């Protein structure tokens, strides 16, 4: 219906009043289409908005009201209607703004005021509800358990739940709000993302809270947690392993809460811990457990069974594990994946089992305990040897291989027993390929000791050569080759103890590199190629050829980044050999001569093991991407990344960081971050090597780039550990340089260094005879003096700290002087009491100050003048008088009178500031009538300084002119009096 818009509007009003809302909307819509008058258009939109409100079509009501407001911003009816629509849409904050505008236009309107009050209260209530933890928890579970909910929302809810559980208050709210049964519901869905979210939330809830961890164990059940860890999903298995670890930590001392008298009754965790241990041992040999689940069960045993500190007396967990689970662990070691009906395993399972055996054996305290361990192993292996059942026999031989990779001494005697070695040799000649493979591997592992290698060289080399030549199976061929490699390297890096003929090792290495670079060969076989190179690279010719083969290097680095972590040790050994960073005994020339005289063997160095060859190999490794490979290797699971492997990696990092030019590459590829865990965990030697490498990097790198985020604070402790007096001088020096760099970066780092108790060590090295160490310590202290605790140590009486710093300012070494003077300049600026104290610690203070102010180096001179200015500004009139009456005034005058010079301008300006301060002090004394305090020479000198008029650019020009004029007048007056 087309027509006059005003007429259509009026008709719409009539329909609205009559209650015919649909007709009214129709009329208003027609009117809008033909209306050209903006004012009328605004009224029509406002009226249609009222119709939509009646129809509860709040979105259209808000839209029409907005159009009316766009035409007339003060349309109070449109504003209020939009407020009503927005309130119904749940947009309370926007509705509140509209009614607020209405109340501003009509402040006495009761409807507006009541709506304003009501909406304000609703907003507050909504905020309280929205942000209350209980509501958030409930809301998250509703989203997670709603199968129709969008995936993104469910993922967000899962992440929020995990984050909430990591906060103690949040974890408690989840627990109190029926959270554990709901988390169990999530696990029961069987969906991996739901199970992961539930397990990670439970981990957060169990962390650091013994009572809650125990409650969760009983509500969820240890068997249930084990069944989740047993699934064939690596991520879920790892998350469940972390849950077990959180529970164990909380039950064994991770909780520091005080529970009072009830603790002994309610929180006795020994039974739960024993149940967990038994359940994990049960998982080790259970066929229903996946390879990933078995790995994590073994990992948990590795972490929690042996004592963390050998000083602890209680090793009952290890003894319990031997009695209840040693045979199960041996069963894992003996599995032969090529045979049917074997336990599900990953590439890493058997190595983790060997590591666990080694850790348990190492945890034993006395011979009877070790004898029991050996007896169980002996009985198990002998029970499996059956000449009529070859499958059982190779299981026994594989078990021996597992023990040889773990507690070598346990099985060493067994291998020497009559018949065992002969059986290995006989199996090598078997027609079954699996027998040959298992036997060759056992021979390889049993030749780890040189004495054993000599036995096999006599008995088995020809056999290995025959297998290598005759077999067509690449997997057996490469194992035979590795056996030959191992035997060929039995002499280590001793050039004179080569086992094979000249050139034989190079041929073996060439074949290993060929297999390594062939991507069509399976990963495990290529890993054996790296194993062979780990032995052959003892030969300098081999390692030199290897680093020149970039394809082989990159292939090795790619394999080191793969899921199969069994090769970590081999890769680490190969890199240690290539960089020559293994432990070397110092050669004493006198003993060498004595050995030659007595016709004893003397080790010889290969020509290619000299420094220039090593440096060239390091450059090649860096170019091939060794740093990124090392960074990935460091992240491997702790059970496989043994302390010995960590030490090897630390040695490699130290070798790579030797040249300062290469440290930028290390930082760029994540080497700085990778070194931190190596410096904090591992063998004592490994931690020192990693800390030393960190010191080299931290000394010349921007800490923010080398160690991003909070990692930089983790670096401090390893660096401070290098300050111990039993460390080498070079380690002390590098540590001091790196701490100097960190201390100059931020106040938080300076506080961290002080908290790590580095100050006594740094002060100790300031007394060191070695010039470079003493200088580095002084520079470090210079950067630390802004810390309140450091200042307090210098203010304390009864020590020579300040005296030493003053005396170091008088040393002949320019760099040492600069550091000491810089520290003293900052101390005297911050603590005025030190200005007075330094005059009492040594009688040479004035002479030293004068030497600093007359120094030819502008930087040292500047520091000396700043100290003088601080002393003049110290509010100690007696001290100021001493300075003004000394030769320093003449020195200041000479420097201050000098013409402006960009190279020395800082020095000249400070000298002028000192003179201004001196004139202020003199003029204040003259005002008080204390003229006699200063000699006529001093007054004349100050007056002469001003008369020269060279201070037009002095920072305190007005102050200068006022004081100078007064001093001149008084000086002339005194001089006139003297002349009369």
């Amino acid at each position: 219906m087309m027509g006059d818009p005003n007429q259509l509007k009026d008709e719409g009003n009539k329909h609205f009043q009559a209650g015919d809302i649909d007709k009214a909307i129709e009329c208003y819509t027609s009117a809008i289409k033909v209306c050209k008058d903006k004012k009328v258009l605004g009224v029509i939109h406002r009226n249609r908005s009222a119709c939509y409100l009646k129809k509860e079509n709040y979105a259209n009501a808000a839209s029409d009201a907005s159009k009316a407001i766009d035409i007339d911003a003060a349309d109070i009816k449109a504003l209020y209607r939009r407020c009503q629509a927005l309130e119904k849409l749940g947009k309370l904050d926007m509705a509140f703004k509209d009614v607020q505008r209405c109340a501003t236009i009509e402040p006495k309107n009761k409807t507006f005021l009541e709506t304003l009050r009501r909406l304000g209260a609703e907003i507050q209530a909504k905020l309280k509800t929205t942000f209350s933890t209980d509501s958030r928890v409930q809301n998250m579970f509703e989203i997670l358990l709603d199968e129709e909910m969008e995936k993104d929302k469910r993922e967000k809810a899962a992440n929020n739940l995990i984050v909430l559980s990591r906060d103690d208050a949040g974890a408690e709210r989840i627990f109190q709000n029926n959270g554990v049964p709901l988390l169990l519901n999530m696990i029961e869905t069987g969906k991996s993302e739901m199970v992961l979210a539930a397990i990670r939330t439970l981990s957060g809830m169990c962390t650091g809270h013994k009572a809650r961890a125990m409650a969760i164990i009983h509500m969820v059940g240890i068997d249930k947690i084990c069944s989740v860890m047993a699934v064939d999903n690596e991520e879920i298995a790892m998350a469940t392993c972390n849950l077990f670890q959180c529970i164990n930590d909380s039950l064994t001392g991770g909780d520091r809460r005080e529970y009072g008298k009830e603790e002994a009754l309610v929180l006795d965790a020994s039974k739960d811990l024993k149940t967990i241990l038994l359940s994990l041992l049960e998982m080790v040999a259970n066929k229903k457990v996946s390879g990933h689940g078995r790995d994590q069960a073994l990992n948990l045993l590795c972490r929690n069974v042996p004592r963390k500190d050998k000083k602890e007396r209680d090793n009952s967990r290890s003894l319990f594990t031997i009695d209840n689970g040693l045979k199960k662990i041996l069963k894992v070691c003996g599995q032969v994946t090529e045979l049917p009906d074997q336990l599900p395993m990953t590439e890493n399972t058997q190595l983790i089992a060997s590591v666990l055996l080694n850790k348990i054996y190492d945890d034993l305290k006395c011979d009877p305990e070790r004898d029991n361990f050996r007896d169980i192993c002996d009985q198990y292996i002998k029970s499996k040897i059956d000449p009529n059942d070859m499958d059982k026999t190779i299981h026994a031989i594989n078990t021996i291989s597992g023990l040889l990779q773990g507690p070598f001494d346990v099985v060493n005697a067994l291998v020497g027993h009559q018949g065992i070695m002969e059986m290995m040799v006989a199996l090598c000649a078997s027609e079954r390929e699996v027998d040959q493979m298992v036997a060759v591997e056992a021979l390889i592992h049993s030749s780890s000791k040189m004495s054993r290698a000599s036995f096999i060289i006599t008995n088995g080399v020809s056999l290995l050569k025959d297998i290598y030549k005759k077999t067509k199976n690449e997997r057996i061929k490469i194992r035979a080759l590795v056996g030959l490699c191992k035997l060929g390297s039995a002499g280590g890096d001793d050039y004179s103890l080569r086992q094979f003929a000249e050139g034989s090792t190079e041929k073996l290495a060439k074949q290993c590199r060929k297999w390594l670079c062939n991507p069509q060969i399976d990963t495990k076989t290529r890993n054996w190629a790296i194993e062979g190179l780990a032995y052959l690279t003892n030969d300098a010719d081999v390692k030199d050829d290897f680093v020149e083969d970039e394809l082989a290097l990159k292939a090795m680095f790619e394999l080191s980044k793969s899921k199969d972590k069994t090769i970590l040790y081999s890769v680490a050994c190969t890199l240690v050999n290539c960089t020559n960073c293994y432990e070397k005994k110092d050669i004493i020339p006198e003993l060498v001569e004595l050995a030659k005289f007595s016709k004893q063997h003397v080790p010889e160095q290969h020509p290619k093991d000299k420094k220039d060859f090593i440096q060239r190999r390091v450059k090649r490794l860096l170019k091939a991407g060794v740093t990124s490979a090392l960074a990935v290797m460091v992240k491997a699971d702790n059970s496989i990344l043994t302390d010995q492997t960590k030490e090897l990696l630390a040695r490699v990092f130290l070798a790579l960081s030797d040249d300062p030019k290469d440290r930028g590459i290390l930082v760029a590829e994540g080497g700085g971050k990778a070194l931190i865990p190596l410096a904090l965990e591992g063998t004592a030697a490994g931690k020192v090597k990693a800390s030393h490498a960190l010191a080299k990097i931290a000394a010349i790198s921007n800490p923010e780039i080398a160690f991003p985020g909070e990692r930089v604070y983790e670096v401090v402790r390893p660096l401070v550990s290098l300050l111990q007096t039993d460390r080498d001088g070079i380690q002390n020096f590098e540590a001091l340089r790196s701490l100097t760099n960190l201390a100059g970066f931020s106040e938080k780092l300076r506080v961290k260094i002080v908290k790590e108790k580095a100050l006594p060590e740094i002060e100790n090295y300031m007394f060191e005879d070695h010039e470079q160490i003493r200088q580095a310590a002084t520079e470090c202290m210079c950067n630390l003096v802004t810390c309140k605790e450091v200042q307090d140590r210098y203010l304390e009486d009864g020590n020579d700290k300040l005296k030493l710093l003053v005396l170091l300012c008088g040393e002949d070494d320019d760099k040492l002087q600069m550091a000491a003077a810089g520290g003293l300049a900052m101390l005297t600026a911050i603590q005025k009491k030190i200005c007075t104290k330094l005059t009492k610690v040594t009688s040479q203070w004035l002479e030293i100050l004068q030497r600093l102010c007359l120094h030819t180096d502008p930087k040292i001179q500047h520091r000396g003048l700043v100290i003088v200015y601080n002393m003049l500004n110290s509010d100690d009139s007696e001290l100021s008088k001493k300075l003004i009456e000394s030769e320093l005034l003449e020195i200041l005058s000479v420097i201050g009178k000098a013409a402006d010079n960009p190279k020395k301008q800082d020095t000249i300006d400070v000298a002028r500031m000192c003179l201004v301060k001196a004139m202020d002090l003199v003029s204040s004394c003259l005002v008080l009538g204390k003229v006699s305090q200063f000699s006529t020479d001093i007054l004349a000198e100050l007056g002469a300084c001003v008369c020269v008029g060279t201070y037009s650019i002095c920072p305190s020009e007005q102050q200068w002119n006022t004081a100078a004029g007064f001093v001149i007048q008084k000086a002339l007056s005194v001089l006139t009096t003297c002349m009369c």
Side-chain angles (χ1 to χ4, degrees):
M1 179 174 63
M2 302 294 289
D4 181 56
N6 285 313
Q7 187 181 344
L8 290 167
K9 181 191 68 146
D10 292 338
E11 284 183 22
N13 291 346
K14 287 176 186 176
H15 289 304
F16 182 82
Q17 288 165 5
D20 191 350
I21 305 300
D22 289 331
K23 283 282 186 184
I25 290 172
E26 189 178 335
C27 290
Y28 291 140
T29 304
S30 299
I32 287 166
K33 289 178 182 177
V34 295
C35 185
K36 304 294 183 187
D37 187 334
K38 275 196 172 184
K39 193 173 181 180
V40 175
L41 188 63
V43 173
I44 300 168
H45 274 299
R46 182 181 71 200
N47 291 353
R48 191 169 69 168
S49 174
C51 294
Y52 283 133
L53 278 172
K54 289 282 186 184
K55 294 285 287 181
E56 297 183 1
N57 188 341
Y58 301 118
N60 283 346
S63 176
D64 266 345
S66 294
K67 289 172 182 174
I69 293 163
D70 288 342
I71 295 167
D72 181 6
D75 189 336
I76 200 164
K77 287 184 179 179
L79 280 166
Y80 189 68
R81 284 172 190 165
R82 187 169 71 176
C83 163
Q84 291 173 301
L86 291 169
E87 182 185 359
K88 295 294 183 182
L89 289 168
K91 299 178 180 179
L92 298 182
D93 52 338
M94 295 171 71
F96 183 83
K97 287 178 183 177
D98 281 346
V99 77
Q100 205 171 29
R101 285 170 68 186
C102 292
T104 305
I105 296 166
E106 287 186 19
K108 294 183 180 180
N109 189 312
K110 290 182 181 179
T111 304
F112 296 159
L113 293 173
E114 177 57 30
T115 306
L116 190 66
R117 185 199 61 75
R118 179 172 52 76
L119 284 176
E122 283 180 21
I123 289 169
Q124 289 299 319
K126 186 180 179 183
L127 284 170
K128 192 174 180 180
T129 305
T130 304
F131 291 102
S132 72
T133 310
D134 293 356
S135 170
R136 285 167 67 196
V137 170
Q138 205 60 41
N139 188 39
M140 287 172 205
F141 278 119
E142 285 173 8
I143 293 169
L144 286 165
L145 295 169
D146 183 356
E147 292 186 2
E148 295 180 3
M149 188 61 68
E150 296 170 19
K151 188 181 177 183
D152 290 348
K153 287 186 177 179
R154 292 174 75 178
E155 284 179 1
K156 189 175 179 182
N159 290 331
N160 288 341
L161 196 64
I162 295 163
V163 171
L164 190 64
S165 71
R166 289 172 183 164
D167 174 67
D168 192 53
E172 190 59 30
R173 296 321 304 157
I174 296 172
F175 186 78
Q176 296 293 344
N177 280 273
N178 203 35
V180 177
L182 289 169
L183 289 167
L184 274 170
N185 290 344
M186 288 170 64
I187 292 170
E188 292 300 332
T189 63
K191 295 179 180 177
S192 57
E193 65 275 8
M194 299 286 277
V195 175
L196 271 173
I199 294 295
R200 287 169 177 165
T201 303
L202 286 169
S203 298
M205 293 168 70
C206 290
T207 301
H209 198 296
K210 190 173 184 179
R212 194 160 58 226
M214 289 182 74
I216 286 170
I217 287 172
H218 293 287
M219 292 171 79
V220 177
I222 292 169
D223 289 343
K224 180 65 182 176
I225 301 173
C226 288
S227 69
V228 175
M229 193 163 79
V231 300
D232 191 16
N233 182 307
E234 186 178 8
E235 208 172 358
I236 290 174
M238 288 178 71
T240 316
C241 172
N242 184 56
L243 170 57
F244 266 128
Q245 191 60 51
C246 292
I247 291 169
N248 182 80
D249 291 346
S250 294
L251 299 190
T252 56
D255 187 359
R256 297 283 180 260
R257 290 168 180 76
E258 293 290 336
Y259 289 101
K261 297 176 184 176
E262 298 83 8
E263 181 164 11
L265 297 171
V266 182
L267 301 180
D268 181 12
S270 57
K271 189 177 178 182
D272 288 324
L273 288 168
K274 186 178 178 181
T275 307
I276 290 171
L277 182 52
L278 281 169
S279 299
L280 292 174
L281 290 170
E282 190 61 37
M283 285 185 74
V284 167
N286 190 332
K287 283 188 179 180
K288 293 179 181 177
V289 175
S290 69
H292 296 303
R294 200 176 321 280
D295 283 1
Q296 298 310 323
L298 289 165
N299 280 334
L300 284 164
L301 293 168
C302 283
R303 288 179 204 162
N304 301 304
V305 169
R307 292 167 292 167
K308 290 180 174 63
D309 185 354
K310 292 293 186 286
K311 292 177 183 177
E312 292 176 25
R313 300 190 67 183
D314 181 18
N315 69 338
S316 57
R317 289 191 303 271
S318 290
L319 299 176
F320 183 85
T321 303
I322 291 169
D323 292 339
N324 294 276
L326 180 54
K327 289 181 180 178
K328 293 171 183 175
I329 303 166
L330 291 171
K331 183 179 179 180
V332 172
C333 290
Q335 297 298 293
V336 181
T337 51
E338 289 78 9
L339 295 178
D341 200 31
Q342 301 294 294
L343 297 174
M345 296 189 301
T346 69
E347 306 92 336
N348 305 318
T349 308
Q350 288 178 305
L351 181 59
I352 301 171
S354 294
V355 171
L356 175 58
L357 289 170
N358 192 53
K359 287 191 173 187
I360 292 171
Y361 185 72
D362 195 41
D363 196 47
L364 302 179
K365 296 190 294 184
C366 58
D367 288 342
E369 291 177 359
R370 296 186 191 97
D371 290 342
N372 178 49
F373 188 100
R374 286 194 201 98
D375 290 344
I376 293 172
C377 293
D378 280 2
Q379 289 166 17
Y380 181 84
I381 291 167
K382 286 174 182 175
S383 70
K384 297 294 177 184
I385 294 174
D386 184 353
N388 300 317
D389 188 342
M390 201 52 71
D391 285 359
K392 279 183 75 177
T393 302
I394 64 170
H395 177 89
I397 299 299
N398 220 31
T399 305
I400 290 172
S401 285
L403 283 164
L404 286 166
Q405 293 176 80
F408 187 92
D409 295 338
V410 171
V411 78
N412 197 27
L414 181 66
V415 172
H417 285 176
Q418 187 69 30
I420 297 289
M421 186 61 75
E422 287 75 9
M423 188 181 296
M424 289 186 194
V425 174
L427 281 170
C428 289
S430 169
E431 292 181 4
R432 283 205 315 177
E433 289 181 343
V434 66
D435 296 344
Q436 291 181 25
M437 195 156 57
V438 169
V440 171
E441 285 184 19
L443 281 171
I444 291 166
H445 294 310
S446 64
S447 61
S448 291
K449 299 284 182 182
M450 203 169 166
S451 58
R452 185 59 53 195
S454 61
F455 172 84
I456 299 171
I457 286 169
T458 308
N459 298 278
V461 170
S462 58
L463 185 63
L464 288 171
K465 284 182 178 177
D466 286 343
I467 293 172
Y468 179 69
K469 289 174 183 176
K470 292 175 183 177
T471 185
K472 293 180 181 179
N473 187 319
E474 291 282 347
R475 298 169 69 196
I476 297 173
K477 188 183 277 282
I478 197 165
R479 282 163 175 77
L481 178 67
V482 171
L484 292 169
C485 293
K486 193 168 186 178
L487 298 173
S489 64
D493 66 344
D494 187 347
Y495 185 46
S496 62
L497 270 186
R498 290 188 165 197
Q499 300 289 339
F500 294 153
E502 186 77 30
S504 296
T505 49
E506 286 92 323
K507 288 177 183 176
L508 292 172
K510 190 175 181 181
Q511 185 60 51
C512 284
R513 296 206 311 271
K514 185 179 175 183
W515 271 318
L516 177 60
C517 295
N518 187 350
Q520 295 182 354
I521 296 176
D522 66 281
T523 304
K524 196 166 184 179
T525 304
R526 293 171 72 199
N527 289 351
W528 276 99
I530 298 173
E531 183 92 10
L533 288 167
Y535 298 115
L536 292 175
T537 46
N538 277 308
D539 186 302
D541 288 318
V542 171
K543 61 181 108 175
D544 223 47
D545 291 342
F546 181 49
V547 296
E548 292 297 324
D549 189 343
E550 194 169 341
L551 286 175
L553 283 177
K554 288 186 174 178
M556 182 175 77
F557 296 153
E558 284 305 311
L559 283 171
S560 71
K561 297 175 186 178
S562 67
K563 286 185 178 181
D564 184 352
K565 300 300 180 187
T566 56
I567 58 161
L568 291 185
Y569 187 77
S570 302
V571 173
C573 284
T574 306
L575 293 173
V576 164
N577 290 338
C578 289
T579 54
N580 281 52
C581 56
Y582 37 76
E583 199 70 46
K584 303 180 189 76
K585 292 180 180 177
D586 294 330
I587 296 173
I588 302 168
E590 291 83 359
L591 290 180
V592 172
E593 291 302 317
L594 186 63
K596 287 179 179 177
F597 179 75
S598 59
K599 296 183 180 179
Q600 296 294 315
H601 171 70
V602 179
E604 293 178 24
Q605 185 187 40
H606 195 289
K608 289 184 178 178
D609 275 333
K610 291 180 179 175
K611 192 172 181 180
D612 53 338
F613 282 93
I614 297 168
Q615 288 173 340
R616 201 177 307 148
R617 290 199 288 268
V618 166
K619 303 286 182 192
R620 295 288 299 177
L621 287 169
L622 286 165
K623 186 181 176 184
V626 66
T627 311
S628 59
L630 289 170
V632 173
M633 289 165 72
V634 169
K635 293 175 185 174
D637 191 278
N638 265 347
S639 301
I640 291 178
L641 188 67
T642 60
D643 288 348
Q644 289 73 22
T645 309
K646 288 178 187 175
E647 182 182 328
L648 295 178
L649 296 178
R651 288 178 181 278
V652 175
F653 267 120
L654 183 57
L656 296 175
S657 62
D658 189 55
D659 187 347
K661 293 176 185 175
D662 296 331
R663 293 173 199 170
I665 299 171
L666 283 172
V667 169
E669 296 182 8
K673 293 179 284 185
L675 273 165
I676 295 171
L678 295 178
L680 295 172
E681 296 175 358
T683 64
K687 289 191 283 188
V688 170
K689 300 290 181 189
S691 299
H692 193 184
L694 272 176
K696 285 177 177 289
I697 291 171
I700 62 170
S701 305
N702 181 340
E704 211 168 30
I705 296 170
F707 317 105
E710 296 297 307
R711 288 189 186 91
V712 71
Y713 301 104
E714 296 176 47
V715 175
V716 175
R717 183 171 296 172
L719 297 181
V720 172
S721 72
L722 290 180
L723 298 179
Q724 294 171 20
T725 50
D726 59 343
R727 301 281 181 257
D728 294 341
I730 187 64
Q731 292 170 348
N732 301 150
F733 176 68
E734 299 274 19
L736 288 165
R737 286 185 65 216
S738 57
L739 288 171
T740 302
N741 191 23
L742 295 181
F745 186 70
S746 75
E747 182 64 22
K748 278 183 77 176
L749 273 170
R750 288 191 283 274
V751 170
K752 177 68 175 172
I753 292 168
V754 171
K755 280 185 178 178
E756 291 295 339
K757 299 178 181 177
L759 285 180
E761 300 290 355
I762 296 168
E763 288 164 353
N764 179 48
Y765 287 116
M766 289 173 72
F767 287 94
E768 178 68 41
D769 290 334
H770 194 287
E771 289 181 7
Q772 287 178 299
I773 293 177
R774 183 172 52 172
Q775 176 199 320
T778 309
E779 287 173 350
C780 189
M781 186 59 73
C782 175
N783 281 1
L784 287 169
V785 293
T786 55
C787 274
K788 183 71 170 62
E789 190 172 328
V790 179
Q791 296 160 25
D792 291 342
R793 288 172 77 91
Y794 276 96
L795 283 168
E796 286 172 4
D797 293 324
N799 63 67
D800 290 332
K801 294 180 178 67
L802 186 59
K803 180 179 180 179
L804 175 64
L805 198 61
V806 175
L807 291 175
L808 289 176
C809 291
E811 290 288 319
D812 293 331
D813 186 330
D814 285 0
K815 289 182 179 178
L816 180 60
Q817 261 190 306
M818 192 180 297
L824 198 56
M826 284 190 278
L827 277 172
T828 51
I830 299 164
Q831 293 286 350
K832 291 187 176 182
K833 290 179 183 177
I834 286 178
C835 296
T836 306
K837 187 180 177 183
L838 76 83
T839 64
K840 297 174 182 176
V841 293
T842 173
S843 58
Q844 300 173 42
W845 68 272
L846 188 57
E847 182 189 338
I848 290 169
L849 268 184
Q850 289 171 355
R851 281 188 65 189
L852 288 175
C853 294
L854 288 170
H855 206 284
T856 53
D857 188 329
K859 292 179 181 177
I860 297 174
Q861 190 179 35
H862 179 261
R863 285 160 172 75
L865 291 167
V866 169
I867 296 168
V868 173
Y869 178 79
N870 293 337
M871 294 173 79
L872 288 169
N873 200 36
S874 66
D875 302 332
D876 185 337
S877 57
E878 284 300 314
L879 174 58
S880 302
K881 182 173 179 288
K882 279 182 188 176
L883 291 171
I884 294 170
E885 287 181 336
S886 71
E887 292 177 6
L888 269 174
L889 183 64
E890 188 178 344
I891 295 167
L892 292 171
S893 175
V894 171
I895 299 168
K897 287 177 185 177
D900 291 347
N901 182 344
K903 292 182 180 178
K904 297 184 177 181
Q905 197 58 46
D906 288 343
T907 304
I908 295 167
D909 286 345
V910 176
R912 292 173 181 176
M913 288 168 66
C914 289
L915 288 167
V916 169
K917 190 67 188 173
M919 283 187 292
D920 279 348
L921 293 166
V922 172
S923 60
S924 62
C925 288
L926 292 171
V927 167
L928 295 170
K930 297 178 181 178
V931 181
S932 59
Q933 283 197 5
F934 299 98
S935 68
T936 53
D937 290 341
I938 291 167
L939 296 172
E941 179 67 39
L942 284 170
C945 287
V946 183
C947 293
V948 174
T950 58
Y951 308 126
S952 57
I953 63 159
C954 181
S956 307
E957 189 173 352
Q958 187 177 358
Q959 183 186 15
W960 167 270
N961 291 335
T962 306
F966 187 81
V967 171
I968 290 169
Q969 288 174 10
K970 286 291 179 181
L972 290 171
S973 171
V974 172
L975 289 169
T976 305
T977 306
C978 292
M979 287 170 69
C980 293

